[in-house]
Amino acid sequence: PRMVVSYHVTVDRQGNEWRAVCPALRHHGAVIGGETREEALAHIENAILMILAEMEFNGLSPPTNERVPDGVLLNIATG
């Protein structure tokens, strides 16, 4: 079934690239970089989708969102 999940992510410049992190899914590998802020956001959204699909396949419930100061809220359509 198609649904929309929401997760906060942080996006910070680190040297010559941007790093995006989803705190709620950090332990599942939701840490990724990009050359621009927009690219890092696109990459983290794709990473979250893959993590959620794997969790669903394994019968695991996705963790709840963790709000972060100055975070970006992503609304992601799954399924």
Side-chain angles (χ1 to χ4, degrees):
R2 194 162 178 80
M3 59 186 248
V4 174
V5 293
S6 300
Y7 283 106
H8 278 88
V9 299
T10 59
V11 188
D12 298 299
R13 189 169 183 83
Q14 295 193 340
N16 291 332
E17 70 170 19
W18 290 80
R19 178 178 143 152
V21 178
C22 177
L25 295 166
R26 177 193 300 265
H27 298 299
H28 297 277
V31 177
I32 200 158
E35 290 185 18
T36 64
R37 184 177 189 276
E38 293 74 22
E39 186 176 275
L41 281 170
H43 288 173
I44 196 71
E45 187 169 339
N46 287 333
I48 290 169
L49 275 170
M50 288 189 292
I51 290 165
L52 293 176
E54 185 176 329
M55 292 180 82
E56 182 180 359
F57 179 79
N58 291 317
L60 302 172
S61 296
T64 56
N65 179 38
E66 292 180 23
R67 292 181 181 271
V68 289
D70 300 323
V72 176
L73 182 63
L74 294 181
N75 295 305
I76 303 167
T78 66

